[in-house]
Amino acid sequence: MSQPVQTDFNSIAQHFRIEGQFVDARPYGFGHINDTYAARFRKVDGRNQRYILQRINHNVFKRPEDVMHNMELVTEHMRAKITDDGGDAARETVTLIPTVDGKSYCKSSAGDYWRVCGFIEGARTYLKAEHLDHYYHAAKAFGRFLAMLSDFPTGQLYETIPDFHHTPKRFLAFIEAVEKDAHNRAKSVRPEIEFVLQRADETGVLIRLLEAGAMPERVIHNDAKLDNVMIDIESGEGICVIDLDTVMPGLAVLDFGDSVRSAANPAVEDEQDLSKVFVDIKIFERLAHGFLDEVRYFLSPIELDHLAFGAKLITLEQSIRFLTDHINGDVYYKIDRENHNLDRCRTQIKMVRDMEAKLEQMSEIVERYR
Ligand code: GN1
Ligand code: MG
């Protein structure tokens, strides 16, 4: 068997304006798409400095240049706002470390796209939060992110993944996968397929509002998972929203929805014991409170009306995406075991069912805090 190719971090790092000598690099975070490493460099004063090194998945992001264009503009915009407000931009937004020739990324000899970001010390991400307050602060960070970008012109950003949260198109891609059934897996996931088919019409609810001009398009994060917020270890506050590859125009309610999808479930996204998977209303309340504390001033009534539904829709979409990838033979998400995408799909289905049962309760909570 051939050995996996070793990444030559040292030679990648040489392209960037990094202070110090490369020491080591280890995988960092929980992402399903890019390869992320925390790397240490020894400075002349003998102290170590950490940086985030990331290989952009160019199977998923077909035009990494566009991703980096967006990331440059968006982080510059936020940096100016944070600095104006007397904040610390190095901790409150992502800092791209430039290459020696002044670019925000480099292309390695292997054809991979790499970027380097400053490491935010004293903060970390959580797959599952440790305190109820973390949920409040994580959702508040996503709300603040939307607020900071609320005056950013949507037309300046590329669509880094076309129709990323166009749920009806996700549904069509799913139908196509089922019809093709390239790995002969459809027959073993009939109940899951049925579950999605029964909700076909609902996939279009928000897109129809957008197309009718009733719901505005904004610059949103598009991947507002709990583990995409750096939480300050001491204060427990959500200081910085990370993973900016999908920052592009979209619907604000889906960012709130994704925070609920990922955080209101007390179990992990790939939990196999579905009895542990449900919408924890206490967590939901903390998320709604935190998010609304930042957005109630500028979101429109129709957006506020659809926050609870947005959570359900993005969770349904995520179940469709995982199921589609399972049927397609696991070509999109990284997997660590057989049926990994199917397990993920099942947690999402369980969450959708529970949201359907609790939608009214969720809406009442939103009412209370909006
Ligand atoms: C992916 O890379 P990561 O793990 O933050 C995915 C999201 C999904 C998420 C599910 C570009 O995010 O859309 O919601 O997995 N990102 C992309 O956990 O597809
Ligand atoms: Mg991520």
Side-chain angles (χ1 to χ4, degrees):
M1 238 172 75
S2 65
Q3 290 293 311
V5 185
Q6 288 288 316
T7 304
D8 184 356
F9 292 106
N10 195 22
S11 78
I12 288 154
Q14 308 243 305
H15 288 91
F16 292 87
R17 291 191 196 150
I18 289 177
E19 240 193 289
Q21 289 298 314
F22 174 74
V23 180
D24 58 10
R26 53 188 64 177
Y28 189 81
F30 313 101
H32 299 337
I33 306 289
N34 295 321
D35 296 321
T36 307
Y37 303 88
R40 295 191 298 169
F41 293 82
R42 181 148 309 132
K43 296 190 290 184
V44 277
D45 65 6
R47 306 234 302 257
N48 281 342
Q49 171 100 29
R50 289 199 281 182
Y51 291 88
I52 291 289
L53 267 56
Q54 235 176 0
R55 182 186 7 235
I56 304 172
N57 181 331
H58 61 257
N59 179 40
V60 166
F61 298 103
K62 306 284 183 208
R63 293 180 50 81
E65 301 83 356
D66 293 358
V67 171
M68 297 314 296
H69 163 95
N70 287 4
M71 211 169 150
E72 283 173 37
L73 292 189
V74 161
T75 54
E76 266 166 39
H77 183 87
M78 290 193 290
R79 171 159 288 102
K81 288 218 162 161
I82 293 164
T83 310
D84 277 354
D85 286 353
D88 177 357
R91 272 175 75 73
E92 294 169 40
T93 188
V94 173
T95 303
L96 286 166
I97 307 297
T99 61
V100 285
D101 47 8
K103 283 168 59 185
S104 60
Y105 62 93
C106 80
K107 201 171 170 187
S108 74
S109 48
D112 288 325
Y113 289 78
W114 286 87
R115 67 179 165 226
V116 175
C117 303
F119 192 98
I120 301 171
E121 297 290 350
R124 54 163 292 193
T125 58
Y126 292 89
L127 213 44
K128 286 292 127 203
E130 286 173 357
H131 311 287
L132 269 181
D133 274 355
H134 283 169
Y135 296 108
Y136 172 86
H137 287 298
K140 189 173 162 71
F142 281 119
R144 187 159 94 103
F145 184 84
L146 291 182
M148 282 198 280
L149 292 172
S150 59
D151 60 345
F152 189 95
T154 48
Q156 287 188 11
L157 298 178
Y158 291 111
E159 222 181 331
T160 57
I161 300 180
D163 298 315
F164 190 52
H165 286 320
H166 192 298
T167 318
K169 289 195 182 164
R170 294 287 186 182
F171 178 79
L172 289 179
F174 154 77
I175 295 293
E176 215 177 283
V178 174
E179 278 168 1
K180 213 164 149 204
D181 196 16
H183 295 261
N184 197 24
R185 290 180 175 178
K187 65 174 184 315
S188 61
V189 291
R190 271 289 142 209
E192 289 78 12
I193 292 175
E194 277 309 311
F195 178 89
V196 172
L197 291 177
Q198 282 160 8
R199 287 155 185 81
D201 193 47
E202 256 184 330
T203 61
V205 171
L206 294 182
I207 288 292
R208 287 195 286 270
L209 289 174
L210 173 73
E211 284 169 358
M215 194 177 268
E217 192 168 50
R218 301 179 184 277
V219 176
I220 70 161
H221 185 273
N222 275 303
D223 189 9
K225 299 202 290 192
L226 178 67
D227 66 284
N228 282 335
V229 185
M230 298 288 290
I231 307 241
D232 186 282
I233 291 167
E234 282 206 348
S235 70
E237 284 177 18
I239 49 167
C240 180
V241 169
I242 59 169
D243 200 351
L244 306 180
D245 305 295
T246 52
V247 177
M248 56 183 163
L251 299 174
V253 299
L254 295 182
D255 270 3
F256 174 69
D258 236 345
S259 75
V260 174
R261 179 189 77 75
S262 60
N265 166 17
V268 283
E269 190 178 68
D270 56 0
E271 176 60 60
Q272 289 174 301
D273 177 356
L274 292 178
S275 70
K276 294 183 181 157
V277 176
F278 61 94
V279 180
D280 184 325
I281 283 293
K282 271 212 194 71
I283 298 178
F284 179 84
E285 177 163 359
R286 303 301 288 148
L287 295 168
H289 189 177
F291 189 74
L292 283 160
D293 274 354
E294 293 286 343
V295 305
R296 66 169 69 85
Y297 310 101
F298 69 93
L299 287 195
S300 59
I302 192 147
E303 290 171 295
L304 297 170
D305 288 346
H306 284 81
L307 288 178
F309 179 78
K312 177 186 153 181
L313 189 73
I314 197 76
T315 312
L316 175 62
E317 182 186 288
Q318 192 64 61
S319 71
I320 296 174
R321 292 175 64 194
F322 285 144
L323 185 56
T324 305
D325 200 33
H326 175 73
I327 295 171
N328 282 341
D330 308 305
V331 290
Y332 187 89
Y333 295 104
K334 291 184 198 167
I335 54 164
D336 301 328
R337 59 178 190 245
E338 211 183 319
N339 292 334
H340 205 164
N341 278 312
L342 180 58
D343 291 339
R344 291 168 175 153
C345 158
R346 287 179 172 151
T347 63
Q348 303 306 293
I349 287 182
K350 178 80 192 289
M351 287 294 283
V352 173
R353 283 193 197 285
D354 206 35
M355 287 180 195
E356 286 174 349
K358 293 174 180 164
L359 206 60
E360 215 171 296
Q361 213 181 341
M362 288 161 58
S363 299
E364 278 166 18
I365 290 170
V366 170
E367 277 305 306
R368 209 175 311 142
Y369 291 100
R370 68 188 269 183

